[in-house]
Amino acid sequence: MTLLTKIDLYLRRTGMPPSTFGRRAVKDPRLVGDLKRGRVPGPRLAARVDAFIARTK
């Protein structure tokens, strides 16, 4: 499963806006939009996002 897919599922499940997710997860409110436009996340960023999702389930 791609990082963007994980984020989309989380956003649907929680109702959190994409900018809020980016700000809370990695202090980047543009994260989700950038990923949708083709930004390729590095392993550290992906790990931070995964950790945020795991801790806020």
Side-chain angles (χ1 to χ4, degrees):
M1 181 180 312
T2 69
L3 184 63
L4 186 55
T5 302
K6 290 179 191 178
I7 293 170
D8 280 338
L9 290 172
Y10 179 86
L11 294 178
R12 276 192 232 132
R13 188 175 74 245
T14 63
M16 183 182 291
S19 60
T20 302
F21 175 86
R23 192 176 302 110
R24 290 183 182 173
V26 295
K27 298 181 178 157
D28 180 1
R30 295 177 37 179
L31 173 70
V32 177
D34 287 350
L35 291 172
K36 288 181 179 182
R37 285 188 292 280
R39 176 177 173 185
V40 178
R44 288 177 57 195
L45 178 68
R48 288 172 61 196
V49 169
D50 285 337
F52 175 80
I53 290 172
R55 113 179 135 251
T56 59
K57 279 188 173 179

